[in-house]
Amino acid sequence: MMTSTTPVKAEARNLSFFYNGGNNAVKNVSMPLYENKITALIGPSGCGKSTFLRCFNRMHDLYPGNKYEGQIIMHPDDTNILEKNVDPIEVRMRISMVFQKPNPFPKSIYENVAYGLRVRGEKNRRIVDDKVEEALKGAALWNEVKDRLQDLAFNLSGGQQQRLCIARALATDPEIMLFDEPTSALDPIATANIEELMSELRNKLTILVVTHNMQQAARVSDYTAYMYLGELIEHGETDRIFTRPTRKETEDYITGKFG
Amino acid sequence: MMNKQQTKNLNEVRAMIQRHKLNDYIFSIIGLLCLMVGLITLLTLFIDLILQGYPKLLSLSFYTDFPSRRASSAGLLSALVGSSLVMLVTFLSAVPMGVMAAIYLEEYAPKNWFSDLIEINVSNLAAVPSIIYGLLALGLFVYILDLGQSIVTAGLTLGLLILPVVIVATRESIRSIPIAIREAAYAVGATKWQVVYDHVIKYSFGGILTGVIIGMARAIGETAPIITIGALTFIAFLPPSPVTTTAPFLNFEWLSSGFTVLPIQMFSWLSRPSEAFHVNAAAAGVIIILVTLIMNGFAIRMRYKMRKNIKW
Ligand SMILES: Nc1ncnc2c1ncn2[C@@H]1O[C@H](COP(=O)(O)OP(=O)(O)OP(=O)(O)O)[C@@H](O)[C@H]1O
Ligand SMILES: [Mg+2]
């Protein structure tokens, strides 16, 4: 019943994606992202999860020859963010991303978090300070770094670096946040921290997360989508997908018979 | 029985390791010899120069005197000043041009057969003999642009000469920036220019600087192109000073002044029949080598410092 009452934040409509060489990595996928919910994307390696995710912030525009077909509609303004006349920068200002491997800039902790604001031309020191603090608190990193904001980000541990990257993505108040296997480079404790963080972030924004880890999908997500060979096989509430999948392929994958 | 078999195998393994180690040993001896041949030859030359030139090297007037007909009172002053001013022009022309060209090629130029062609040619330019640059400069700067046989002509010529070095070094440095860092910047909404300005240039600064200094170190010893464009060998005056005491405090007349540079001064002393001048030549040679070494040392230091905070 949740499905019918929860507002949709964004939805892919018949989305296909072709890499430069013509490789059709995403095939005609239609799928909603519900507002203030976590949607997990699972599926075997190479099935197109990252490719699909990166359509949402037009990351593929950075490389020549890539082609989208179909739409990604963002609500409430009903913008098709894949449309040619929508600037990818505008899209990235609304939808931020956290990558698989922590990728802080070789700058201070403070400057890493502030960068999104700098890009937007924010010069007011007070505002930047406040936003940086808020984002670091939001990423559950503030207490660990508040006394060394000017230290280099590289000096943080892997888990801290990933939370710093979340803070960086958070500082600009995005509507949607994309996570591409955010914990695959982290140990179990750092992973638990990030998962907890994602659950909290859900109150503020909408999350799409790619994960290889089935338990993780079951633990953190509200909705789960299973992809295979570029196609969306099944999408639904996580509880249902993991207990009563309707498609045989999904069941085989989550029970470990395949994948 | 079983045991004996094992021991035998072990002995065979040990013998094999010994044989392989022998190869290591032989190779390191040969490598060391090759290294020594190069190093010792150079070192001998350098020491010989110092031994010949030391009376001059130690006298202050050598650095403050103009050239003279008498070896004893001939000094390096005009060559030192000339080399510095020429290097200034070289730096100011090659660095902005080279860095911008490299950034364009790496970040903005579409990747197709044309950019491949440019890439190959830039690398080839670095291998063009310097005297060819001299001819080009004689035609372009001296005859067509009418800049004269001046400091600006020499500076621009050497600038052209080291341009490929600067471009290649800058591109390599830019390329070593991981894609993940770029994507991180784009992902928060940076424009291409913001990525270039806030990240690409900053993180590749150490590499660019190294390339620039190595290029300059090469340029400072260049003789052929300078002779081609017609540097003077006997200069008993200094170019007008670039900075003045009256407004606007900058003066550009020095650009069109005649000049000489260190290697030419050295060459001119060397070609004198009188033995006494050879002492001066040796001393000038030591100065050139020292300047080059100092610049290279500086480049290594800067590189180390710049890379300390960057881990890739
Ligand atoms: N830059 C690229 N150019 C061409 N093909 C690509 C490119 N990147 C990925 N692919 C292909 O697209 C398909 C989907 O790749 P994608 O990275 O989206 O898979 P994934 O589901 O994220 O896999 P993983 O779980 O291993 O990260 C794969 O067949 C892959 O080989
Ligand atoms: Mg992936």
PDB file of all heavy atoms in Angstrom, chain B residues 70-94:
ATOM      1  N   ARG B  70      92.205  42.248 -22.711  1.00  0.00           N
ATOM      2  CA  ARG B  70      93.180  41.578 -21.857  1.00  0.00           C
ATOM      3  C   ARG B  70      92.472  40.509 -21.037  1.00  0.00           C
ATOM      4  O   ARG B  70      91.486  40.802 -20.345  1.00  0.00           O
ATOM      5  CB  ARG B  70      93.859  42.590 -20.944  1.00  0.00           C
ATOM      6  CG  ARG B  70      94.974  43.367 -21.671  1.00  0.00           C
ATOM      7  CD  ARG B  70      95.605  44.373 -20.754  1.00  0.00           C
ATOM      8  NE  ARG B  70      94.621  45.317 -20.266  1.00  0.00           N
ATOM      9  CZ  ARG B  70      94.379  45.551 -18.988  1.00  0.00           C
ATOM     10  NH1 ARG B  70      95.061  44.915 -18.062  1.00  0.00           N
ATOM     11  NH2 ARG B  70      93.466  46.429 -18.630  1.00  0.00           N
ATOM     12  N   ALA B  71      92.956  39.276 -21.117  1.00  0.00           N
ATOM     13  CA  ALA B  71      92.302  38.156 -20.438  1.00  0.00           C
ATOM     14  C   ALA B  71      92.177  38.418 -18.941  1.00  0.00           C
ATOM     15  O   ALA B  71      91.174  38.088 -18.323  1.00  0.00           O
ATOM     16  CB  ALA B  71      93.084  36.875 -20.687  1.00  0.00           C
ATOM     17  N   SER B  72      93.159  39.021 -18.379  1.00  0.00           N
ATOM     18  CA  SER B  72      93.167  39.171 -16.930  1.00  0.00           C
ATOM     19  C   SER B  72      92.033  40.065 -16.438  1.00  0.00           C
ATOM     20  O   SER B  72      91.515  39.871 -15.344  1.00  0.00           O
ATOM     21  CB  SER B  72      94.510  39.739 -16.482  1.00  0.00           C
ATOM     22  OG  SER B  72      94.718  40.970 -17.139  1.00  0.00           O
ATOM     23  N   SER B  73      91.627  41.035 -17.262  1.00  0.00           N
ATOM     24  CA  SER B  73      90.565  41.907 -16.763  1.00  0.00           C
ATOM     25  C   SER B  73      89.220  41.646 -17.440  1.00  0.00           C
ATOM     26  O   SER B  73      88.288  42.421 -17.302  1.00  0.00           O
ATOM     27  CB  SER B  73      90.970  43.379 -16.930  1.00  0.00           C
ATOM     28  OG  SER B  73      91.184  43.625 -18.307  1.00  0.00           O
ATOM     29  N   ALA B  74      89.148  40.524 -18.189  1.00  0.00           N
ATOM     30  CA  ALA B  74      87.886  40.229 -18.860  1.00  0.00           C
ATOM     31  C   ALA B  74      86.931  39.528 -17.899  1.00  0.00           C
ATOM     32  O   ALA B  74      87.334  38.636 -17.148  1.00  0.00           O
ATOM     33  CB  ALA B  74      88.122  39.342 -20.078  1.00  0.00           C
ATOM     34  N   GLY B  75      85.668  39.946 -17.938  1.00  0.00           N
ATOM     35  CA  GLY B  75      84.696  39.368 -17.003  1.00  0.00           C
ATOM     36  C   GLY B  75      83.434  38.921 -17.692  1.00  0.00           C
ATOM     37  O   GLY B  75      83.239  39.095 -18.896  1.00  0.00           O
ATOM     38  N   LEU B  76      82.565  38.354 -16.875  1.00  0.00           N
ATOM     39  CA  LEU B  76      81.354  37.700 -17.372  1.00  0.00           C
ATOM     40  C   LEU B  76      80.117  38.578 -17.314  1.00  0.00           C
ATOM     41  O   LEU B  76      79.043  38.141 -17.690  1.00  0.00           O
ATOM     42  CB  LEU B  76      81.057  36.493 -16.465  1.00  0.00           C
ATOM     43  CG  LEU B  76      81.466  35.102 -16.876  1.00  0.00           C
ATOM     44  CD1 LEU B  76      80.883  34.135 -15.858  1.00  0.00           C
ATOM     45  CD2 LEU B  76      80.962  34.769 -18.251  1.00  0.00           C
ATOM     46  N   LEU B  77      80.265  39.808 -16.800  1.00  0.00           N
ATOM     47  CA  LEU B  77      79.076  40.578 -16.424  1.00  0.00           C
ATOM     48  C   LEU B  77      78.022  40.645 -17.517  1.00  0.00           C
ATOM     49  O   LEU B  77      76.861  40.311 -17.289  1.00  0.00           O
ATOM     50  CB  LEU B  77      79.492  41.999 -16.011  1.00  0.00           C
ATOM     51  CG  LEU B  77      78.300  42.859 -15.594  1.00  0.00           C
ATOM     52  CD1 LEU B  77      77.639  42.287 -14.361  1.00  0.00           C
ATOM     53  CD2 LEU B  77      78.722  44.303 -15.348  1.00  0.00           C
ATOM     54  N   SER B  78      78.418  41.042 -18.727  1.00  0.00           N
ATOM     55  CA  SER B  78      77.389  41.224 -19.753  1.00  0.00           C
ATOM     56  C   SER B  78      76.732  39.902 -20.139  1.00  0.00           C
ATOM     57  O   SER B  78      75.539  39.861 -20.443  1.00  0.00           O
ATOM     58  CB  SER B  78      77.972  41.914 -20.985  1.00  0.00           C
ATOM     59  OG  SER B  78      79.182  41.318 -21.352  1.00  0.00           O
ATOM     60  N   ALA B  79      77.501  38.791 -20.055  1.00  0.00           N
ATOM     61  CA  ALA B  79      76.916  37.493 -20.380  1.00  0.00           C
ATOM     62  C   ALA B  79      75.930  37.054 -19.296  1.00  0.00           C
ATOM     63  O   ALA B  79      74.870  36.506 -19.584  1.00  0.00           O
ATOM     64  CB  ALA B  79      78.014  36.456 -20.549  1.00  0.00           C
ATOM     65  N   LEU B  80      76.303  37.315 -18.037  1.00  0.00           N
ATOM     66  CA  LEU B  80      75.396  36.950 -16.940  1.00  0.00           C
ATOM     67  C   LEU B  80      74.079  37.693 -17.059  1.00  0.00           C
ATOM     68  O   LEU B  80      72.994  37.116 -16.990  1.00  0.00           O
ATOM     69  CB  LEU B  80      76.044  37.284 -15.587  1.00  0.00           C
ATOM     70  CG  LEU B  80      77.045  36.280 -15.042  1.00  0.00           C
ATOM     71  CD1 LEU B  80      77.683  36.832 -13.767  1.00  0.00           C
ATOM     72  CD2 LEU B  80      76.371  34.954 -14.749  1.00  0.00           C
ATOM     73  N   VAL B  81      74.192  39.015 -17.272  1.00  0.00           N
ATOM     74  CA  VAL B  81      72.987  39.828 -17.393  1.00  0.00           C
ATOM     75  C   VAL B  81      72.210  39.407 -18.639  1.00  0.00           C
ATOM     76  O   VAL B  81      70.982  39.236 -18.590  1.00  0.00           O
ATOM     77  CB  VAL B  81      73.343  41.325 -17.438  1.00  0.00           C
ATOM     78  CG1 VAL B  81      72.099  42.150 -17.749  1.00  0.00           C
ATOM     79  CG2 VAL B  81      73.953  41.751 -16.124  1.00  0.00           C
ATOM     80  N   GLY B  82      72.948  39.203 -19.742  1.00  0.00           N
ATOM     81  CA  GLY B  82      72.287  38.805 -20.987  1.00  0.00           C
ATOM     82  C   GLY B  82      71.532  37.503 -20.826  1.00  0.00           C
ATOM     83  O   GLY B  82      70.353  37.403 -21.168  1.00  0.00           O
ATOM     84  N   SER B  83      72.187  36.497 -20.255  1.00  0.00           N
ATOM     85  CA  SER B  83      71.533  35.206 -20.069  1.00  0.00           C
ATOM     86  C   SER B  83      70.293  35.350 -19.194  1.00  0.00           C
ATOM     87  O   SER B  83      69.240  34.777 -19.488  1.00  0.00           O
ATOM     88  CB  SER B  83      72.496  34.200 -19.426  1.00  0.00           C
ATOM     89  OG  SER B  83      73.216  33.529 -20.438  1.00  0.00           O
ATOM     90  N   SER B  84      70.402  36.129 -18.122  1.00  0.00           N
ATOM     91  CA  SER B  84      69.245  36.277 -17.231  1.00  0.00           C
ATOM     92  C   SER B  84      68.076  36.906 -17.963  1.00  0.00           C
ATOM     93  O   SER B  84      66.933  36.443 -17.853  1.00  0.00           O
ATOM     94  CB  SER B  84      69.602  37.147 -16.019  1.00  0.00           C
ATOM     95  OG  SER B  84      70.802  36.721 -15.467  1.00  0.00           O
ATOM     96  N   LEU B  85      68.344  37.981 -18.713  1.00  0.00           N
ATOM     97  CA  LEU B  85      67.239  38.662 -19.391  1.00  0.00           C
ATOM     98  C   LEU B  85      66.637  37.781 -20.490  1.00  0.00           C
ATOM     99  O   LEU B  85      65.417  37.738 -20.659  1.00  0.00           O
ATOM    100  CB  LEU B  85      67.718  39.996 -19.975  1.00  0.00           C
ATOM    101  CG  LEU B  85      68.057  41.057 -18.913  1.00  0.00           C
ATOM    102  CD1 LEU B  85      68.585  42.324 -19.561  1.00  0.00           C
ATOM    103  CD2 LEU B  85      66.844  41.376 -18.048  1.00  0.00           C
ATOM    104  N   VAL B  86      67.506  37.081 -21.217  1.00  0.00           N
ATOM    105  CA  VAL B  86      66.992  36.187 -22.261  1.00  0.00           C
ATOM    106  C   VAL B  86      66.108  35.101 -21.631  1.00  0.00           C
ATOM    107  O   VAL B  86      65.022  34.793 -22.112  1.00  0.00           O
ATOM    108  CB  VAL B  86      68.157  35.554 -23.054  1.00  0.00           C
ATOM    109  CG1 VAL B  86      67.663  34.405 -23.910  1.00  0.00           C
ATOM    110  CG2 VAL B  86      68.823  36.609 -23.918  1.00  0.00           C
ATOM    111  N   MET B  87      66.587  34.554 -20.498  1.00  0.00           N
ATOM    112  CA  MET B  87      65.801  33.517 -19.818  1.00  0.00           C
ATOM    113  C   MET B  87      64.457  34.062 -19.346  1.00  0.00           C
ATOM    114  O   MET B  87      63.450  33.355 -19.349  1.00  0.00           O
ATOM    115  CB  MET B  87      66.572  32.981 -18.599  1.00  0.00           C
ATOM    116  CG  MET B  87      67.655  31.995 -18.951  1.00  0.00           C
ATOM    117  SD  MET B  87      66.992  30.574 -19.824  1.00  0.00           S
ATOM    118  CE  MET B  87      67.759  30.815 -21.369  1.00  0.00           C
ATOM    119  N   LEU B  88      64.463  35.317 -18.925  1.00  0.00           N
ATOM    120  CA  LEU B  88      63.205  35.931 -18.483  1.00  0.00           C
ATOM    121  C   LEU B  88      62.193  35.944 -19.626  1.00  0.00           C
ATOM    122  O   LEU B  88      61.030  35.561 -19.467  1.00  0.00           O
ATOM    123  CB  LEU B  88      63.471  37.356 -17.983  1.00  0.00           C
ATOM    124  CG  LEU B  88      62.263  38.103 -17.425  1.00  0.00           C
ATOM    125  CD1 LEU B  88      61.775  37.434 -16.154  1.00  0.00           C
ATOM    126  CD2 LEU B  88      62.608  39.566 -17.142  1.00  0.00           C
ATOM    127  N   VAL B  89      62.662  36.367 -20.799  1.00  0.00           N
ATOM    128  CA  VAL B  89      61.767  36.405 -21.962  1.00  0.00           C
ATOM    129  C   VAL B  89      61.322  34.977 -22.317  1.00  0.00           C
ATOM    130  O   VAL B  89      60.149  34.728 -22.600  1.00  0.00           O
ATOM    131  CB  VAL B  89      62.456  37.064 -23.173  1.00  0.00           C
ATOM    132  CG1 VAL B  89      61.545  37.011 -24.388  1.00  0.00           C
ATOM    133  CG2 VAL B  89      62.821  38.502 -22.850  1.00  0.00           C
ATOM    134  N   THR B  90      62.277  34.058 -22.271  1.00  0.00           N
ATOM    135  CA  THR B  90      61.947  32.660 -22.576  1.00  0.00           C
ATOM    136  C   THR B  90      60.850  32.149 -21.650  1.00  0.00           C
ATOM    137  O   THR B  90      59.849  31.580 -22.077  1.00  0.00           O
ATOM    138  CB  THR B  90      63.203  31.774 -22.408  1.00  0.00           C
ATOM    139  OG1 THR B  90      64.209  32.265 -23.280  1.00  0.00           O
ATOM    140  CG2 THR B  90      62.912  30.336 -22.727  1.00  0.00           C
ATOM    141  N   PHE B  91      61.048  32.398 -20.374  1.00  0.00           N
ATOM    142  CA  PHE B  91      60.082  31.945 -19.374  1.00  0.00           C
ATOM    143  C   PHE B  91      58.703  32.555 -19.647  1.00  0.00           C
ATOM    144  O   PHE B  91      57.702  31.857 -19.707  1.00  0.00           O
ATOM    145  CB  PHE B  91      60.575  32.348 -17.980  1.00  0.00           C
ATOM    146  CG  PHE B  91      59.678  31.916 -16.868  1.00  0.00           C
ATOM    147  CD1 PHE B  91      59.786  30.644 -16.326  1.00  0.00           C
ATOM    148  CD2 PHE B  91      58.723  32.788 -16.363  1.00  0.00           C
ATOM    149  CE1 PHE B  91      58.951  30.250 -15.295  1.00  0.00           C
ATOM    150  CE2 PHE B  91      57.876  32.395 -15.329  1.00  0.00           C
ATOM    151  CZ  PHE B  91      58.001  31.125 -14.801  1.00  0.00           C
ATOM    152  N   LEU B  92      58.693  33.878 -19.830  1.00  0.00           N
ATOM    153  CA  LEU B  92      57.413  34.568 -19.982  1.00  0.00           C
ATOM    154  C   LEU B  92      56.700  34.182 -21.273  1.00  0.00           C
ATOM    155  O   LEU B  92      55.479  34.272 -21.361  1.00  0.00           O
ATOM    156  CB  LEU B  92      57.617  36.087 -19.938  1.00  0.00           C
ATOM    157  CG  LEU B  92      58.054  36.614 -18.574  1.00  0.00           C
ATOM    158  CD1 LEU B  92      58.265  38.119 -18.626  1.00  0.00           C
ATOM    159  CD2 LEU B  92      57.021  36.264 -17.511  1.00  0.00           C
ATOM    160  N   SER B  93      57.458  33.747 -22.277  1.00  0.00           N
ATOM    161  CA  SER B  93      56.772  33.374 -23.514  1.00  0.00           C
ATOM    162  C   SER B  93      56.399  31.899 -23.528  1.00  0.00           C
ATOM    163  O   SER B  93      55.290  31.540 -23.914  1.00  0.00           O
ATOM    164  CB  SER B  93      57.642  33.718 -24.729  1.00  0.00           C
ATOM    165  OG  SER B  93      58.873  33.042 -24.650  1.00  0.00           O
ATOM    166  N   ALA B  94      57.302  31.035 -23.059  1.00  0.00           N
ATOM    167  CA  ALA B  94      57.045  29.593 -23.214  1.00  0.00           C
ATOM    168  C   ALA B  94      56.042  29.064 -22.193  1.00  0.00           C
ATOM    169  O   ALA B  94      55.230  28.206 -22.514  1.00  0.00           O
ATOM    170  CB  ALA B  94      58.355  28.820 -23.099  1.00  0.00           C
TER     171      ALA B  94
END
